[in-house]
Every structure is written in C-alpha cells, then in structure tokens.
Amino acid sequence: MAESAPVHVEILSNAHNIQIGELKHTIVNGNQYTFSNDQATFIQLLRPILDASHTRDKETSPPNSACFPGTRTDVIRAIVAWADSTLLWNTHILWLHGYVGCGKSAIALAIALKFERRNRLVGSFFFFQNTGDRSRMARFATTLAFQLAAAIPEAARFIKKAVTEEGLLGLSLVAQLRRLVYEPFKAAAKRVRLLKTFLLKGPFLIVIDGLDECEDRKDVEAFIDDMLDFFKKNPLVPLRFLITSRVEQHIQGRLETDQVRIENLVNHCSRADIDTFMHACFEAEIKRNPVIKAYIRNHGDWPTKKDKDKLIDHIGGSFIFASALFKYIVDPSNNQSTPMDRLPHTLKMNPGLDTLYAKTLSRSQDLLYFSDVISTLALIFEPLPIIGIADLLGIESFEVVRVLVNLQAIIHVPGTDNLPVTMCHTSLRDFLRTESRSGCFFTPPSYHLHLLYRCSTFYDGQRAGTAALYSIRCFAKHLEQFACLPPAAQGPFLRFPQTLDALYAHILAKSEDDPHFSDIISTIALLIQPLSVAVISKLLGIESLQVIQVLVKLKPIINIPETGNCPVSVCHTSFHQFLTTESRSARFFVSPSYYLRLSYYFFSLYLDHILIGAIPWLEFNEWWLRLESHEHWKQCLGANSEPTIHLELDQLAHRPSQPLYQHLFSFMQLFHWVFQDSDHNPQQTSLALTKCINSLALALECAPAPETWLQQPLQELMTDDIVALSFGFAGRLEIHQEQVMTMQHSVQRVEALIRVKDPWNPDVDDIRMFPMLGDWVVMDAYRVLKWIAAHAQARMSSAEPGVTRVLGLYITPNTDSLPIIISIQPYTEPLPLNSVIRS
C-alpha cells in the first residue's frame, strides 16, 4: 500500500501582529490550516478559497511551478524595482504576459514569496483552469479580503463592518472589491505603521496569476476596468498589482493603457536560464541513474556539450517544454529504450509540445481503459485522485495506474491513490480537446455523455468518496456541456446510453413504479413556476415524504433543495424538452392536457381557502392560487384541442377525491370559457354549455345544502380577474334534439335540487343581465344557462328529428338599468368578431 503524503500545515501564513489565543483547524484539499479565532470568524463571514494563494500545497493545488534556483533573476529584479518604487504614481499595475509554459506562474510565486518575507504582500490569487472556484470570480474578492485582514490587521475592522452589511456578499464583483479590498486598504494605509512601512520600504503588493484561466470573462473585464478607475481616482494609494496571463483579447484590450506597465516574458527568457536549469537536471539524474553512470564510464560525458547545446537551442525559452523534454528523456517507466537513445529523438519534437504529447500518449495507447482514463482527465471539471477516477469509470485503481505510469512526462501521477492526478500543463487538456492537433488521441465532447451516465450511478446514496462528491457537484456541468452540442456532435456513441434521451429514460425508470410518480413528474414538468416539495405535496394531496421518495432517485436530473421552502427544478431545459416531446420520451411523455389537472389542483386549494377558511401551511395568498389556476387553464386551452379538454374534464369528474370541487371547477371553467375567455372561445359552444349545466347539477348532488356557494359572487369563484362582457358574437350553437334533451334533463336535476321554479317564456328572445360578470352570483349564471336551454328547446320544437339548427349567441349593449342583452338569433356567416348586434 502506498504511503500517504505528509499533511501540509500552515499557521497564520502571511500574517503578523496577531495574538494567538484559541486555534481552529480547517482541512482544504488535504491540507491543514490553523487559524486564530479572529481569522476563523473571517472565514465564516467571507468563505474565502483557502488554496488559491501562493501558500497552497502545489502538489494538490496546481500550478506546481517554481523558479529554478539561479534563473529568472533579471525579470524578478525588474518587477521588484517597479514594486519598490514610490515614484511611479501612474503605474500601479504591471502586466507580465507570455506564451504557454514560459514560466509566468513560477515568477508570480517568486515575487509573492519575496514580498511576503518583506511584510508587504497584501494577498495573492492563482487562477487555474477547471478547478471549480479557482477558475471563477465568484469568491475572488472575499478571498483577497481574507488575506488582507490577515496581512494588515488594521484593515480587518473595515472589512468586518462592510461584510456584515445586509446583502453585500450578494452584490457585484466590482462592489465587493471596492468595499472589501480597496476601501479597507485605503483606510488602513493612513495608519502610522503602514505609512512608516511604505515610506521606508515601498508600496504593498497584490499578485494575480493566470488571469486568462478565469472562465468569467465579463467579470475579468469588470475587475480590470474598476481597478484602473480606482487608481485613477486614488493615485497616491500605496498599492501595486502584479498580473500575469497569456495574451487574451478581453485582457489585452483593457490593460494596454498608460496606467499599466507591460512586460513581455519572452524578452526575459534567456538561454542562460534554460542552460542552468538543464545542467542541474542532468547532474542530478546522473547521480541517481545507474544506467547513465555505466554509460559514462564506458563512453565519457553525457550529454556531450554539443548535444546539450543543440537541445537548449531547440527548447528556446520555454521552461515547460524544457521540463517535459527532460522527463521524457529520463523517464524511468520506459524499459524499451535508454535516456541516451531518447535524447536524439527530442530534437525532432515540436517546441509547441504537441509532438511530445502524441509521442508520450502513444506508449499507453493500446492499454485497456486508456481512452476512458485520458478522456476523463481531459473533460473533468475538478482534479480527481486515482481512486476517484477508478470509481467514476467503474474500474480498478490499478487499471488507472497502469495507464498513467507511462505518461509521467506529461501528467503528475501522485505517490498515493488519494491525491489528485494533474496535468503538467493545461496545454495538454487543450491538445486533447482539439482534433486537428491530437488526431487519434482526440477526446470528443460527446464523451460528456458517458461521464453523465457514470455520474448518475452515484446518486443512490449508498457510496461515498471523491467520485460520489464529484458527481453531485459536476453532473449539471457535464449535462450543460453535452446538451449544448449540435446534434451531429452528440454521437454516434457506442456505449450505453447512446443518447441523452436514453440517459433520461434510464434515470426515470428508477422511480416509475413508485406511487404518484406520474403526477409528480408531470407537475414538475408543467408548473409555470417551480414550487417547493411542501407545496407540491399539498397541491397533489399526498405526503411530502412520498414526493421526496420519488425525487431522491432522480437527483441527477432534478434539483432537490436542502431546505423545504426552496423550489424543486429540473437540472437542464433539455430534460423539460424531453418530458414534453412524445417522440423522445415515449412512456414518460407529459401530455399538455395535464395543465388542466394543475389548474384544478390550484382551484381546489383556493376553494379550501374561501369556503373552509385560511390554511395555516399556505405559503401564498388566495390571489396567487387564483392566478396559478387561471394561468394553467390558459396553457391548457392553448395547447389542447376541444375534444381533449372535454375528455379531461370528464375524467376529472371520475376522480375519487372531492367531487364537489371537481364539478364546481368544470362548471366555472366552462362558463368562463364561453362568456369571458375571448382568446379561446370554444367552437362547439353548445357542447360546452351542455357540459356546464351538467357539472352544476353534479355539484348540487354532492352538496345537499349548497347555500354557501350558490349565492357566491362569480368574482370570488373564478380564477381570472373579472371584466365586463364583450359585445358581439359569443358563440355558435349547433343544436339537435338529443342535445336539447340532455340540456333539459340537467336543468330538471338542478331545479329539483334547488327547488326554485322560474320558468322562461320560450317566445322571449333575450335576457337582460349586469354587464360585469363579477357582479353575478352562481344563481345568475344558472338563470342564463336555464334560459339558453329553454330557448334552444323552443327553437327545436318545430324541427324534424335528426335536424341540426345553427344559432348564434350574442351579447349586446342596452340603455336600460340592466344594460347587457344576451340573445339567441339565427346565425349568419361570416360575422365579424365583436361586432355589435342589435336585437
């Protein structure tokens, strides 16, 4: 068993003038950090990234680079001279740029260490690609603020005051930097101790390395713009920024200004530095390697001065290329050739590293799981240890080691299975992701799908470890990367699942036999706004635990909040599209007809609220319930055909729970559909009215004492805001004998239940009502329906059996005290919508 690496311990790094009382310990990426009570308080307030500074353990938190002794002296001297100067008021910022592998991070580290020893380092932040928070700007300001408080205790109280202000940590990056870094430093710089330090030694320094590796480009631009603006307004503040990066447009376009001193590291990459580095490397290897010693005894010096000069000339000024070539030459895992054999081959390798990468990768190319291991390293968002990679891929750790052991020239392989595997340089990841460069070693972005499937297997809650934690943190990121690919780039993929839809179906199948699965998934898919587990359970009339039991198996694709009041949501819009597209989801298809169910569920809770009383659990008021019911009804009308809507209403009436609410819902929605909803008037108006009367009869049969709602104003029962009835054509009535009989039968059932005899004269062609529908009560609505049924019967009395008569239902204004006239007249096509029809 491999020995564990010693735990790295740092005690109050980069801090001074701090009294030690009770100490607290924090573990970050395997490193133990010890803090005073004050620092522990700041950690709780600021949540800094503890492994982002120059003090991190570089073995576990790359980049793992440092200047070789005796090299880079010229550029370091130039940077120190700039940072020490108290005269350069207009150049508070130095931008050191250069190509990949020329040593920017090593120089940033050397400068940070030097100024830390001088007690003039405010803080440092080393960005690194695909390392979670260290590749984002979200915690950049708070991390610098934490380091500022440790380095300059005089600034701590200003930071604490700012961070405790409500909402500060939710503000923009620029606001956080101003309130937590610039202003506290500016205030502290007026103190005697700092003034003395500045006057005797020089300004203070913040080191920012690898700014180009930050994924948040807009925030990077905002950071630079605000920093320049701050120094323009505060030219006497004794603070300097050293920024290193590659030349990226969003950085270069802002830093190329008179306010910034620019240094191109290429101008400082001397041949002498590479010579010093390679000479020391070869000397150390000669002392260690018995094969080289034996060769030298028989053949003399190795490498010869001529070969070494050729090698140094070939390397140019790239330290990363020099390091990679040296590792390739002396690679102890290569038993097929000796360092002396490999040295001539290095002179043919491209200094851009592609040749070296391809040559090295080819040595493991034929091994089992090579493609999986390399593709995983290329696409994962956080470094994983050997055991984590093995668990994620479902293979043994030794299989991963077997692949990696031949690749140590380009990949850092730790001495224990529990430390992260990292690439010697991020350019290897770029190489693997660029098909034109990597050829047969190319990692297609579709491999995110395989990682998605592997991540999904860790959501059963039965396994722990780095792979399980990684899966929980990064499933959504892999999903986003795959879902945004064009269809042509999503396959073909020979492993299970072959498509993202197959993955969704595979995950959903884990819960499909659970009670209420269909209702829960349909609700989450079609809710207009996400709701919490508690509200979903109340909406569906089931226990919260039953909702959780279904969702917990679907964690990869559904976000389940840790607190009960936060909404449940889908991880990605592609999952919603999957559920609502029948050709993709098959048996998991969520029909748009379910909108009607949702409308009813909200209506049911609303009736509970107004007929029974306030509900203690209710998170929203009755207005919200009305609004949600109406909005889902509108979605139903817009997405379904009339026969589907009528079918859903019929099926709703046969559900076992709360029949009164079901029939009232049908009655109110159908009545509203005919008389109020001008956007979606039914084409089969007579059928809607027939079902409307029947729903009222069924509701009355469920409630022997209906006084509580028969005199209820419609504005309190309807889910939409009530407006005046629209003038003009209200609907086309296609009446036949069977329908008239059905209408009259339902009317007779209502009459028998309410015992109100109010016969209508069939010869009367209209009925006068209030113009505002909200002023009506349920009985008013029934009177209109009864009149329509009576009038339809009168019009059909002279018709032959089987004949259908087409009539028009109209609403017209009147000048009397009851100014709305509802009339039935012969229907004539075409009739302009909302035209005024006089009786």
Side-chain angles (χ1 to χ4, degrees):
M1 182 179 294
E3 293 182 359
S4 297
V7 175
H8 175 72
V9 180
E10 297 201 13
I11 301 179
L12 308 182
S13 176
N14 194 27
H16 50 84
N17 292 348
I18 290 183
Q19 295 181 348
I20 306 296
E22 181 184 349
L23 298 180
K24 296 185 180 180
H25 307 280
T26 300
I27 303 295
V28 180
N29 287 350
N31 305 327
Q32 178 173 298
Y33 296 83
T34 304
F35 303 102
S36 69
N37 280 335
D38 287 344
Q39 287 182 308
T41 299
F42 270 106
I43 289 177
Q44 293 174 350
L45 289 172
L46 297 170
R47 295 181 60 248
I49 306 172
L50 297 178
D51 64 336
S53 77
H54 67 289
T55 64
R56 71 195 184 283
D57 184 345
K58 289 170 282 297
E59 290 291 337
T60 59
S61 299
N64 184 11
S65 54
C67 290
F68 194 81
T71 64
R72 301 300 201 183
T73 55
D74 289 343
V75 66
I76 290 175
R77 189 181 300 115
I79 294 172
V80 169
W82 160 80
D84 283 343
S85 174
T86 59
L87 301 177
L88 302 177
W89 302 113
N90 64 331
T91 54
H92 290 78
I93 304 159
L94 189 149
W95 176 36
L96 180 69
H97 66 79
Y99 54 80
V100 169
C102 64
K104 301 181 295 296
S105 294
I107 292 168
L109 175 63
I111 294 295
L113 291 171
K114 187 178 288 289
F115 276 79
E116 181 185 41
R117 290 191 294 270
R118 297 180 177 188
N119 292 329
R120 288 166 51 206
L121 182 69
V122 171
S124 62
F125 197 105
F126 283 68
F127 287 99
F128 198 74
Q129 217 174 50
N130 297 299
T131 52
D133 287 333
R134 282 185 58 211
S135 60
R136 307 296 302 270
M137 274 287 189
R139 294 163 66 188
F140 174 66
T142 57
T143 299
L144 289 182
F146 172 71
Q147 295 179 42
L148 169 60
I152 303 177
E154 293 89 341
R157 69 184 184 91
F158 299 105
I159 297 171
K160 188 172 183 180
K161 179 182 177 183
V163 80
T164 53
E165 292 182 7
E166 184 178 356
L168 176 61
L169 295 184
L171 297 181
S172 67
L173 169 71
V174 166
Q176 289 187 33
L177 284 168
R178 287 271 177 159
R179 301 298 304 279
L180 298 178
V181 180
Y182 300 152
E183 292 176 5
F185 177 85
K186 181 181 175 183
K190 299 175 182 178
R191 298 299 188 266
V192 173
R193 185 181 70 82
L194 270 71
L195 283 172
K196 184 178 178 182
T197 300
F198 164 58
L199 293 173
L200 295 178
K201 299 180 180 179
F204 293 81
L205 181 67
I206 293 177
V207 176
I208 308 298
D209 177 66
L211 190 59
D212 58 294
E213 302 208 25
C214 177
E215 300 170 8
D216 302 322
R217 293 197 166 201
K218 293 295 183 183
D219 281 340
V220 168
E221 294 173 350
F223 157 60
I224 295 173
D225 290 343
D226 184 63
M227 177 176 54
L228 292 171
D229 181 65
F230 173 77
F231 285 125
K232 187 174 182 179
K233 295 176 180 177
N234 300 276
L236 301 182
V237 170
L239 181 63
R240 301 281 186 267
F241 270 84
L242 169 63
I243 297 174
T244 75
S245 76
R246 289 182 291 177
V247 177
E248 297 278 356
Q249 182 56 44
H250 67 294
I251 297 173
Q252 179 185 20
R254 283 168 162 74
L255 287 179
E256 286 188 339
T257 169
D258 292 341
Q259 285 183 259
V260 180
R261 175 170 171 175
I262 300 175
E263 291 286 349
N264 187 344
L265 190 50
V266 173
N267 299 330
H268 296 278
C269 292
S270 68
R271 188 182 188 282
D273 284 344
I274 300 295
D275 192 0
T276 300
F277 172 71
M278 294 301 289
H279 177 78
C281 289
F282 278 118
E283 285 295 315
E285 185 64 20
I286 289 168
K287 292 177 182 179
R288 187 196 67 80
N289 194 318
V291 174
I292 297 176
K293 287 180 181 178
Y295 179 88
I296 290 175
R297 283 196 298 270
N298 294 329
H299 298 88
D301 289 344
W302 182 87
T304 64
K305 184 178 185 306
K306 180 180 178 182
D307 287 342
K308 189 168 68 172
D309 287 345
K310 285 183 180 178
L311 182 62
I312 292 169
D313 288 339
H314 181 62
I315 290 170
S318 172
F319 272 89
I320 184 64
F321 188 49
S323 177
L325 283 184
F326 178 77
K327 287 181 181 180
Y328 171 77
I329 293 169
V330 302
D331 187 354
S333 64
N334 189 345
N335 297 321
Q336 305 300 315
S337 60
T338 67
M340 286 64 70
D341 297 325
R342 292 190 290 272
L343 176 58
H345 294 306
T346 61
L347 299 177
K348 301 175 184 178
M349 292 182 179
N350 187 336
L353 294 176
D354 285 8
T355 306
L356 173 64
Y357 289 152
K359 184 83 173 176
T360 305
L361 289 167
S362 65
R363 294 172 52 195
S364 289
Q365 184 177 9
D366 296 328
L367 294 176
L368 188 64
Y369 304 119
F370 165 79
S371 178
D372 284 321
V373 172
I374 292 303
S375 297
T376 299
L377 289 174
L379 296 183
I380 56 176
F381 296 97
E382 302 170 8
L384 287 174
I386 290 171
I387 186 67
I389 295 171
D391 286 347
L392 185 61
L393 294 176
I395 61 179
E396 298 288 339
S397 294
F398 77 87
E399 299 284 7
V400 178
V401 174
R402 187 182 177 202
V403 170
L404 296 180
V405 74
N406 295 328
L407 309 178
Q408 295 186 73
I410 56 177
I411 293 175
H412 292 302
V413 184
T416 172
D417 289 354
N418 297 316
L419 290 177
V421 176
T422 57
M423 298 179 177
C424 292
H425 201 272
T426 53
S427 59
L428 174 57
R429 182 175 285 106
D430 297 334
F431 169 81
L432 292 171
R433 292 176 172 183
T434 308
E435 188 172 13
S436 61
R437 293 171 59 189
S438 51
C440 63
F441 301 112
F442 172 60
T443 296
S446 59
Y447 193 82
H448 279 292
L449 179 61
H450 184 62
L451 292 176
L452 274 171
Y453 171 65
R454 293 303 312 165
C455 285
S456 72
T457 64
F458 286 88
Y459 279 82
D460 54 10
Q462 315 240 341
R463 288 179 286 176
T466 53
L469 293 174
Y470 174 84
S471 297
I472 293 169
R473 289 194 299 265
C474 297
F475 182 93
K477 294 182 180 180
H478 286 295
L479 178 56
E480 175 64 32
Q481 291 296 313
F482 184 81
C484 70
L485 294 174
Q490 292 188 359
F493 200 74
L494 301 180
R495 303 166 188 265
F496 178 82
Q498 294 184 352
T499 64
L500 184 58
D501 290 352
L503 174 65
Y504 287 148
H506 171 73
I507 295 173
L508 286 169
K510 298 177 182 180
S511 290
E512 67 175 321
D513 294 330
D514 290 349
H516 311 294
F517 166 80
S518 179
D519 276 333
I520 293 168
I521 290 300
S522 299
T523 298
I524 292 172
L526 297 186
L527 278 173
I528 294 173
Q529 63 171 328
L531 299 177
S532 67
V533 168
V535 179
I536 290 173
S537 67
K538 290 294 182 182
L539 197 64
L540 299 179
I542 59 179
E543 297 293 329
S544 294
L545 183 60
Q546 292 176 300
V547 178
I548 294 172
Q549 285 174 340
V550 170
L551 297 184
V552 74
K553 300 175 186 177
L554 309 178
K555 276 185 177 179
I557 51 180
I558 293 181
N559 294 315
I560 306 175
E562 295 181 1
T563 59
N565 295 327
C566 294
V568 176
S569 61
V570 298
C571 279
H572 196 269
T573 54
S574 61
F575 180 51
H576 178 269
Q577 294 162 359
F578 166 80
L579 289 173
T580 54
T581 306
E582 189 171 12
S583 61
R584 294 176 58 185
S585 50
R587 70 183 189 276
F588 298 113
F589 172 60
V590 176
S591 169
S593 63
Y594 197 83
Y595 278 118
L596 187 144
R597 295 272 182 90
L598 289 174
S599 179
Y600 164 69
Y601 292 147
F602 283 107
F603 179 81
S604 177
L605 291 178
Y606 173 66
L607 282 187
D608 270 343
H609 193 61
I610 64 170
L611 298 182
I612 299 176
I615 305 171
W617 66 266
L618 202 60
E619 295 182 10
F620 303 94
N621 58 30
E622 60 185 73
W623 173 86
W624 176 79
L625 290 172
R626 289 179 57 190
L627 176 64
E628 288 297 305
S629 180
H630 177 66
E631 289 301 317
H632 286 89
W633 174 253
K634 283 177 61 179
Q635 292 293 327
C636 174
L637 293 178
N640 296 281
S641 65
E642 280 190 41
T644 299
I645 294 171
H646 289 304
L647 177 63
E648 284 297 313
L649 287 170
D650 289 342
Q651 290 178 350
L652 181 66
H654 293 92
R655 290 178 68 86
S657 62
Q658 293 187 306
L660 171 62
Y661 288 5
Q662 294 159 6
H663 300 316
L664 270 180
F665 174 79
S666 295
F667 168 71
M668 296 306 305
Q669 298 299 67
L670 288 168
F671 192 83
H672 180 275
W673 195 12
V674 173
F675 287 98
Q676 186 78 63
D677 204 330
S678 58
D679 292 336
H680 299 285
N681 283 126
Q683 295 298 310
Q684 298 182 21
T685 306
S686 53
L687 176 60
L689 291 172
T690 301
K691 288 182 174 292
C692 185
I693 301 172
N694 186 58
S695 296
L696 180 60
L698 291 169
L700 287 165
E701 289 171 354
C702 296
E707 293 81 5
T708 54
W709 52 270
L710 272 178
Q711 297 302 322
Q712 194 86 18
L714 294 188
Q715 64 185 358
E716 294 186 13
L717 287 177
M718 282 190 172
T719 57
D720 191 17
D721 289 333
I722 305 300
V723 296
L725 291 172
S726 300
F727 299 152
F729 177 63
R732 169 176 164 153
L733 303 176
E734 294 187 17
I735 304 295
H736 52 81
Q737 292 288 357
E738 182 180 346
Q739 196 162 53
V740 167
M741 291 175 62
T742 302
M743 276 187 176
Q744 286 300 329
H745 177 68
S746 295
V747 167
Q748 290 168 9
R749 289 166 61 192
V750 174
E751 292 286 296
L753 290 164
I754 63 176
R755 297 177 180 82
V756 174
K757 300 299 180 181
D758 189 13
W760 289 100
N761 183 353
D763 297 328
V764 177
D765 285 338
D766 56 47
I767 179 174
R768 288 160 171 72
M769 300 295 294
F770 291 107
M772 295 297 293
L773 201 59
D775 293 336
W776 298 15
V777 296
V778 175
M779 277 299 297
D780 292 329
Y782 168 62
R783 289 177 66 237
V784 170
L785 294 174
K786 179 183 175 183
W787 174 82
I788 292 174
H791 201 80
Q793 184 180 34
R795 290 299 179 98
M796 291 300 299
S797 60
S798 60
E800 296 293 330
V803 172
T804 298
R805 289 207 170 170
V806 181
L807 305 172
L809 184 66
Y810 302 100
I811 301 172
T812 58
N814 187 35
T815 57
D816 298 339
S817 58
L818 298 177
I820 292 298
I821 300 174
I822 301 174
S823 61
I824 294 179
Q825 299 178 18
Y827 175 75
T828 305
E829 286 203 60
L831 185 71
L833 189 64
N834 292 331
S835 61
V836 177
I837 307 297
R838 302 297 299 184
S839 53

